[in-house]
Amino acid sequence: MMGSENLDSEEAHMYASREEMENLVLDEPSNNNNGTKSFSDYRSAMSSLADTHHPLSSPMAAPADSDPLLTPPPFRDFRNPNVATDNSSYIEPPSYSDVIFSPFDENAVNEINGVDSPGRSSDSSGFLSKSTSSSSDYVKITVSNPQKEQETSNSLVPGGNTYVTYLITTRTNIPGHNGSEFSVRRRFKDVVTLSDRLAESYRGFFIPPRPDKNVVESQVMQKQEFVEQRRVALEKYLRRLAGHPVIRKSDELKVFLQVQGKLPLPTSTDVASRMLDGAVKLPKQLFGESVAVAPHEVVQPAKGARDLLRIFKELKQSMANDWGGSKPPVVEEDKEFLKKKERMHDLEQQLSNASQQAESLVKGQQDMGETMGELGLAFIKLTKFENEEAIFNSQRARAADMKNVATAAVKASRFYRELNAQTVKHLDTLHEYLGLMLSVHGAFSDRSSALLTVQTLISELSSLHLRAEKLEAASSKIFGGDRSRIRKIEELKETIRVTEDAKHVATGEYERIKENNRSELERLGRERRADFLNMLKGFVLNQVGYAEKIANVWAKVAEETSAYTREST
Amino acid sequence: MEQQRSSSGSSHSPRSSSSQPYLSISVTEPVKLGNGVQAYISYRVITKTNFPEYQGPEKIVIRRYSDFVWLRDRLFEKYKGVFIPPLPEKSTVEKFRFSAEFIELRRQALDIFVNRIASHHELQQSEDLRTFLQADEETMERLRSQETGIFKKKPADLMQIFKEMQTRVSDVVLGKEKPVEESNPEYEKLKNYIFELENHLSEAQKHAYRLVKRHKELGQSLSDFGKAAKLLGACEGHALGKAFSDLGTKSETLSVRLQKEAHQLLMNFEEPLKDYVRAVQSIKATIAERANAFRHQCELAETIKLKEINLDKLMLTRSDKVGEAELEYKELKAESEEATRRFENIVRVMNEEIVRFQDQKTQDMGIAFHQFAKGQSRLANNIADAWRSLLPKLEACLS
């Protein structure tokens, strides 16, 4: 179907844009931008990686600690022999397994059956880290075994802080990793760090959003349920990361998955150093000296204490954009992009709505199953009662009828519940894509903040030039030159040069992000179409299959009680 | 669909006026009359019969719910031991009193009620039935308003009254604390059976009612989901958009189907279960009647013993009160025999009735089960067909 070629070209594209990036920052020695390190590493990683396509959470990786939803015990009874044996979570409707499913579709069946991942199918992968059956490499991540550990150093609270670590196991056959299976222990803080570093390095990409932090007290952390929920969420998150064609090859992720011990990524809560940085810069900023924005800084948006002046300038710029009469020097002219942005917004709204209604549909099916089951049980009790107390044959006959109805009701109830479990998995695609909208927002805001930086620098440059002109004009009036003014002009010229460099870098960054946006939008569109079509097919097949089963159950009872209609009139 | 339309012969057609005796009744055309709090529903009751006691082959009268209640109470009073067919409840919730569903359910239940009476070999002879089916509206109104005291009470209330009476009487006459009851193990078993049966049936009926609600709710959520799918489709466009749109349309179609099934379920499954519960409650009223008759018989027996002792005493003392006492004794003796006869009649009738009841209920429930199963099977098939029709296009999109 799809996938291979498209991803190839997409990756080639990213490769190209990354190369550009490297050329720009190659001369910049300082390394407080993680991106630099990562980019050069990408190069090496890229060259060493042979086959870099679809992640495949394949059926081969045994779902040892998989979601209980996938392998509920009763399902095994109904396993249809036509279905791949490793899957036990989907009950094939007999009529369909004979007629509709061809060998090719067996894969589709596996995918619908939610092998391994929360139920979505599709031969295209990426966003939802699904399985494909066409390629041979895979990255499979499992999160398990939560353990409580003690905070060793500088615990202000006597008795120490405890936190939970999770065992993260990766199985992969992609060369370039250290072996095919490895495990590390990580805590949630590490995940936050990973997520923050990725956000910095991959501006413009649709980076899967990480699970929420919860402002938890240690008591809540004890709760088994919470830890379990978090475990599931972490697993989903990491799998999604591994499913993203670009991010799965990132250094950050590799390091996170492989390096034992402390996570060797700078944490965002490194408050001390940031403060120090900001404190050094602040006097200069306060005295209004033209502290040029260093080129390496412009590849990140302005934030925190260290970028005070830059924040101020960019804020000024954005206000000028909004309220100023003149058009900003560079605008978002890409009309197509604006259209797409509008569409994304629209899509998000409809996804949210559909997601809600899907939930209420699921509830409706669940309730139906429950009540049907309760009805069945009530009739079973009645049957037992009538049989025990029977004096007349009419009572025994009635008890027999009731038993048939009761049995059918209980069976139907079970079918409703199975139908629903599958429905949840299929419609989950809606929820997943809704969650993805967050990363789209992130990517778009990367773009707008990069644009703002460019605009700010351009304004800055023009005002610097203006000052230089004025100084030169004033200086030229004095015969022989004005030493102090000349010195100032020289300084200004230097500042202008640095700022030009920064503008160049910032523009490059902006273009890079634009390109990332574009390719990601295209990938999103492609994969979303595939995923949704498969979701619809899976949903519909599921409904048909179970409706047929339920119909059969009741048809039997109708047959068994058909004598009564002949008797009445 | 009407159940229990069994008349005492062939169906309600005038052509069979020759051979088989028939009495067939239709309760139709509910019409809201009156205003505000006084508003009520009236029904057209059409009787077709060849019974000689009736005024003609066909008669149409207008009746309201309280007329049916009058009939039930009269029959209960006159035909002790017979399990009088149950009436639908008086509605308590104002909101639903005039909902279409409620009105239809009640009409159906009243129709069944009156036809059950018409097909009961004893009850069909009732003069009160003839009055009910033939009297003009003014006469009916007069009769209805004449009913006072005990007849207006529900069977449950009757039971309560009898319990109180019996406690008082037995305490006074016999100086005992415990109420007098039959010591018939088979009958005890029957009573326990009836009481327990009511519990089981109520539970089943409760779940059946909930199932109706679930159908409605699922229908609603399918409708909402369908709308959302269509909107999402409009947003997506192209093949995917069309797929969503088709899905949405099918969802909405199925929503309508589910609402229809909910209605069928209510009329043909939940209502018969409710009817079953009511029938059991009616039997409980008869049980109370029997208990009352039994105690009455016991009291008289005791009273007679005392009178005998007294009489002998008087005869020994050659009192001039002997004549009076003898007369009293004879009267009491007659009364006692009457009471015994009445009690024994109730016992006999009840034994017949229980057989009839069990047979009828097996029949009624058999039909209800069949309707239920057929309905569910049809619904599921409709659902399968609807979703299946989407598959070719989806397959085409994916290939």
Side-chain angles (χ1 to χ4, degrees):
Chain A
M1 203 169 101
M2 41 206 312
S4 321
E5 293 114 42
N6 293 342
L7 274 179
D8 256 340
S9 59
E10 177 189 282
E11 283 182 3
H13 211 128
M14 293 195 203
Y15 192 100
S17 50
R18 216 167 288 125
E19 275 207 85
E20 272 175 31
M21 201 53 227
E22 282 165 50
N23 290 336
L24 286 171
V25 298
L26 224 43
D27 51 345
E28 178 49 57
S30 83
N31 253 344
N32 56 354
N33 177 14
N34 295 321
T36 321
K37 198 154 73 109
S38 318
F39 297 150
S40 45
D41 280 1
Y42 289 143
R43 254 218 134 135
S44 54
M46 289 287 266
S47 53
S48 64
L49 285 178
D51 194 19
T52 58
H53 309 300
H54 334 260
L56 173 66
S57 342
S58 87
M60 296 173 273
D65 16 274
S66 49
D67 194 343
L69 255 187
L70 295 175
T71 55
F75 289 6
R76 296 192 205 278
D77 299 335
F78 298 102
R79 189 177 325 185
N80 184 302
N82 287 350
V83 168
T85 48
D86 60 296
N87 149 66
S88 53
S89 67
Y90 183 69
I91 291 150
E92 239 8 89
S95 57
Y96 270 89
S97 55
D98 293 325
V99 177
I100 301 270
F101 289 131
S102 64
F104 170 73
D105 282 318
E106 272 234 329
N107 299 323
V109 166
N110 281 346
E111 289 150 8
I112 293 164
N113 300 347
V115 173
D116 211 336
S117 58
R120 280 153 281 36
S121 52
S122 140
D123 286 351
S124 88
S125 54
F127 282 105
L128 305 178
S129 63
K130 293 170 301 300
S131 52
T132 57
S133 40
S134 41
S135 59
S136 58
D137 72 336
Y138 63 95
V139 177
K140 160 92 188 296
I141 301 177
T142 326
V143 176
S144 60
N145 201 340
Q147 272 176 20
K148 240 188 302 184
E149 289 183 23
Q150 194 90 354
E151 191 99 60
T152 44
S153 56
N154 60 4
S155 44
L156 301 166
V157 182
N161 280 325
T162 59
Y163 57 90
V164 179
T165 61
Y166 303 84
L167 183 67
I168 300 176
T169 311
T170 312
R171 286 195 197 94
T172 176
N173 68 352
I174 296 177
H177 291 260
N178 302 347
S180 60
E181 178 169 337
F182 37 88
S183 300
V184 293
R185 280 217 156 257
R186 296 280 181 239
R187 56 185 293 188
F188 188 75
K189 243 163 85 171
D190 296 334
V191 175
V192 175
T193 305
L194 170 68
S195 159
D196 289 343
R197 299 290 80 73
L198 286 173
E200 286 165 5
S201 312
Y202 289 91
R203 297 178 77 201
F205 285 100
F206 297 169
I207 308 174
R210 65 157 169 79
D212 289 326
K213 286 186 210 180
N214 280 17
V215 183
V216 289
E217 303 161 10
S218 54
Q219 280 100 332
V220 181
M221 284 303 286
Q222 314 283 8
K223 289 241 174 83
Q224 194 47 25
E225 242 181 74
F226 175 78
V227 171
E228 175 58 21
Q229 273 177 25
R230 181 161 270 190
R231 185 198 67 77
V232 170
L234 287 178
E235 194 173 83
K236 267 195 183 168
Y237 172 61
L238 291 173
R239 285 181 179 181
R240 285 191 202 125
L241 287 182
H244 192 292
V246 173
I247 289 177
R248 74 200 297 242
K249 287 173 271 164
S250 71
D251 245 27
E252 289 90 345
L253 183 61
K254 266 205 222 127
V255 142
F256 179 91
L257 292 175
Q258 286 184 189
V259 175
Q260 299 290 337
K262 188 165 180 288
L263 180 68
L265 293 174
T267 61
S268 36
T269 53
D270 200 350
V271 181
S273 72
R274 287 224 158 185
M275 293 261 295
L276 211 54
D277 249 347
V280 163
K281 287 199 179 164
L282 197 54
K284 282 195 185 167
Q285 293 171 352
L286 285 177
F287 293 127
E289 288 196 21
S290 306
V291 183
V293 186
H296 71 269
E297 286 178 2
V298 300
V299 294
Q300 286 301 315
K303 59 183 170 211
R306 50 192 262 175
D307 297 326
L308 220 49
L309 186 60
R310 188 173 151 205
I311 288 175
F312 177 71
K313 283 186 190 161
E314 288 185 352
L315 182 61
K316 206 165 129 202
Q317 180 64 38
S318 82
M319 281 173 67
N321 288 348
D322 290 341
W323 304 109
S326 58
K327 213 168 87 148
V330 180
V331 284
E332 189 53 80
E333 278 174 348
D334 193 349
K335 286 220 165 50
E336 220 181 282
F337 172 72
L338 287 170
K339 249 199 323 187
K340 288 202 184 129
K341 192 167 172 200
E342 185 69 38
R343 261 204 71 201
M344 281 295 119
H345 180 69
D346 206 15
L347 180 68
E348 185 176 355
Q349 270 188 308
Q350 299 315 330
L351 267 179
S352 168
N353 184 29
S355 182
Q356 255 185 306
Q357 301 312 335
E359 275 193 39
S360 111
L361 175 65
V362 161
K363 177 152 194 311
Q365 284 179 173
Q366 186 185 321
D367 288 345
M368 181 72 93
E370 261 177 41
T371 302
M372 188 65 87
E374 285 167 352
L375 181 71
L377 286 177
F379 273 122
I380 285 182
K381 279 194 248 171
L382 248 176
T383 303
K384 208 166 150 240
F385 172 69
E386 286 279 20
N387 271 327
E388 282 168 8
E389 307 280 329
I391 305 172
F392 304 100
N393 281 333
S394 53
Q395 282 173 286
R396 292 192 194 92
R398 194 181 333 135
D401 293 332
M402 257 179 217
K403 182 144 181 262
N404 290 335
V405 172
T407 315
V410 168
K411 277 201 195 132
S413 157
R414 211 180 293 142
F415 284 144
Y416 267 110
R417 262 173 278 154
E418 288 168 8
L419 161 75
N420 212 27
Q422 297 296 319
T423 304
V424 164
K425 281 194 273 181
H426 289 125
L427 295 184
D428 205 41
T429 309
L430 291 169
H431 303 314
E432 293 277 327
Y433 271 95
L434 185 60
L436 245 158
M437 288 295 129
L438 264 178
S439 26
V440 175
H441 282 308
F444 287 176
S445 95
D446 286 343
R447 181 189 183 121
S448 40
S449 62
L451 177 62
L452 187 60
T453 302
V454 169
Q455 289 170 339
T456 310
L457 284 171
I458 289 176
S459 298
E460 175 107 347
L461 266 175
S462 73
S463 67
L464 283 173
H465 277 300
L466 214 61
R467 270 169 63 193
E469 274 171 33
K470 280 204 186 118
L471 272 177
E472 277 184 355
S475 157
S476 69
K477 292 199 178 111
I478 299 173
F479 181 72
D482 181 332
R483 197 157 288 171
S484 78
R485 276 216 182 87
I486 288 173
R487 196 172 32 88
K488 278 208 183 109
I489 289 173
E490 285 308 314
E491 280 175 11
L492 251 181
K493 285 232 163 84
E494 178 60 26
T495 307
I496 287 176
R497 204 181 57 79
V498 173
T499 309
E500 280 281 354
D501 272 349
K503 185 201 94 170
H504 192 61
V505 167
T507 309
E509 173 75 359
Y510 174 60
E511 292 298 323
R512 190 181 72 88
I513 290 176
K514 268 170 74 174
E515 179 51 35
N516 292 344
N517 276 175
R518 192 205 61 78
S519 64
E520 287 281 77
L521 271 172
E522 194 216 298
R523 186 170 72 93
L524 173 65
R526 209 182 344 114
E527 289 178 6
R528 189 178 76 247
R529 272 188 288 281
D531 287 343
F532 277 168
L533 278 172
N534 276 299
M535 166 187 84
L536 290 177
K537 179 176 165 191
F539 171 77
V540 168
L541 269 175
N542 192 36
Q543 293 284 338
V544 174
Y546 279 105
E548 282 177 353
K549 286 193 158 107
I550 292 172
N552 286 337
V553 157
W554 289 116
K556 199 158 148 269
V557 177
E559 178 60 41
E560 285 162 355
T561 53
S562 58
Y564 290 102
T565 45
R566 286 192 288 267
E567 277 173 39
S568 64
T569 41
Chain B
M1 262 265 211
E2 295 190 26
Q3 300 184 199
Q4 281 308 298
R5 263 318 214 112
S6 41
S7 43
S8 53
S10 57
S11 212
H12 36 294
S13 46
R15 59 161 170 82
S16 46
S17 57
S18 45
S19 45
Q20 294 279 19
Y22 68 89
L23 171 63
S24 165
I25 309 160
S26 300
V27 178
T28 64
E29 285 182 41
V31 169
K32 184 172 171 192
L33 298 176
N35 289 313
V37 197
Q38 311 273 9
Y40 65 94
I41 305 278
S42 75
Y43 303 89
R44 224 159 166 249
V45 180
I46 305 170
T47 309
K48 294 197 172 92
T49 179
N50 65 354
F51 283 14
E53 303 86 351
Y54 279 78
Q55 290 166 8
E58 184 170 319
K59 182 84 185 191
I60 301 178
V61 293
I62 305 293
R63 293 287 178 258
R64 56 188 286 187
Y65 179 76
S66 30
D67 296 330
F68 289 82
V69 174
W70 171 88
L71 177 61
R72 194 269 317 270
D73 292 344
R74 299 288 299 185
L75 292 175
F76 183 74
E77 196 33 48
K78 292 241 174 78
Y79 292 89
K80 298 205 199 287
V82 174
F83 299 160
I84 309 294
L87 271 177
E89 294 85 5
K90 195 148 179 55
S91 108
T92 43
V93 186
E94 187 63 38
K95 189 161 57 136
F96 299 120
R97 211 148 60 92
F98 297 112
S99 77
E101 216 169 54
F102 177 77
I103 289 174
E104 174 54 22
L105 275 172
R106 178 169 270 199
R107 187 209 61 76
Q108 184 178 282
L110 291 175
D111 189 295
I112 290 171
F113 165 76
V114 88
N115 277 293
R116 277 184 181 147
I117 294 171
S119 50
H120 188 282
H121 60 98
E122 270 190 67
L123 297 178
Q124 70 183 199
Q125 311 291 335
S126 153
E127 195 186 316
D128 291 318
L129 177 65
R130 282 199 289 279
T131 309
F132 175 83
L133 292 174
Q134 299 180 120
D136 58 71
E137 279 81 67
E138 284 139 15
T139 313
M140 201 63 234
E141 199 180 322
R142 189 172 28 91
L143 289 169
R144 198 174 66 230
S145 51
Q146 273 174 5
E147 290 304 309
T148 50
I150 244 166
F151 293 151
K152 272 240 150 72
K153 298 249 192 288
K154 293 194 294 207
D157 295 341
L158 281 169
M159 193 135 137
Q160 191 58 36
I161 293 170
F162 291 138
K163 269 209 178 109
E164 287 166 22
M165 271 172 56
Q166 137 253 309
T167 330
R168 258 182 291 145
V169 172
S170 46
D171 282 352
V172 167
V173 174
L174 305 164
K176 280 192 196 146
E177 291 293 337
K178 237 175 148 204
V180 184
E181 273 181 18
E182 296 178 50
S183 56
N184 178 345
E186 260 177 43
Y187 184 59
E188 277 306 305
K189 210 165 160 247
L190 175 70
K191 278 195 282 180
N192 287 329
Y193 167 79
I194 291 295
F195 278 75
E196 242 198 279
L197 181 64
E198 189 187 3
N199 292 335
H200 281 120
L201 283 176
S202 294
E203 204 194 320
Q205 181 260 326
K206 193 174 65 172
H207 291 303
Y209 182 71
R210 278 208 204 117
L211 192 66
V212 172
K213 231 174 35 156
R214 299 301 186 213
H215 278 69
K216 287 186 179 156
E217 288 163 4
L218 185 59
Q220 183 60 49
S221 45
L222 267 173
S223 168
D224 293 337
F225 179 70
K227 289 197 178 68
K230 279 160 121 175
L231 284 172
L232 188 53
C235 187
E236 289 281 7
H238 306 296
L240 178 63
K242 187 80 179 30
F244 269 118
S245 170
D246 289 342
L247 184 96
T249 310
K250 276 294 177 245
S251 279
E252 290 178 323
T253 306
L254 285 177
S255 163
V256 172
R257 181 66 186 83
L258 269 162
Q259 299 292 353
K260 282 211 186 94
E261 190 60 35
H263 181 74
Q264 289 301 312
L265 207 54
L266 181 70
M267 305 295 277
N268 298 331
F269 182 62
E270 195 263 345
E271 179 62 17
L273 273 172
K274 210 130 151 252
D275 176 64
Y276 200 164
V277 174
R278 290 183 204 127
V280 172
Q281 286 166 346
S282 168
I283 296 177
K284 280 164 77 177
T286 308
I287 288 176
E289 275 295 316
R290 172 164 163 165
N292 178 51
F294 179 71
R295 273 188 284 284
H296 189 53
Q297 177 206 25
C298 288
E299 281 156 30
L300 284 174
E302 288 300 320
T303 315
I304 280 187
K305 275 208 207 99
L306 293 173
K307 281 281 192 239
E308 260 182 34
I309 295 168
N310 194 34
L311 193 59
D312 289 340
K313 241 203 298 185
L314 287 178
M315 286 174 94
L316 277 173
T317 62
R318 294 181 200 270
S319 160
D320 49 339
K321 295 218 179 104
V322 167
E324 210 183 302
E326 259 178 6
L327 217 64
E328 267 179 40
Y329 178 74
K330 274 210 188 86
E331 276 172 17
L332 262 177
K333 198 80 200 259
E335 241 183 274
S336 170
E337 276 160 19
E338 175 63 29
T340 307
R341 236 181 300 122
R342 258 190 256 129
F343 170 71
E344 280 167 4
N345 190 54
I346 291 180
V347 172
R348 180 188 58 81
V349 170
M350 270 186 84
N351 287 336
E352 288 169 15
E353 285 288 282
I354 196 73
V355 178
R356 187 185 66 85
F357 167 73
Q358 296 287 23
D359 283 342
Q360 184 168 75
K361 277 325 178 189
T362 301
Q363 186 68 19
D364 290 346
M365 289 318 292
I367 295 173
F369 289 150
H370 181 76
Q371 304 278 47
F372 178 47
K374 227 169 60 163
Q376 289 295 303
S377 151
R378 267 206 204 113
L379 174 69
N381 276 320
N382 288 160
I383 291 174
D385 292 340
W387 291 124
R388 205 183 293 116
S389 68
L390 290 176
L391 279 171
K393 262 211 210 128
L394 279 174
E395 299 278 0
C397 285
L398 279 167
S399 55

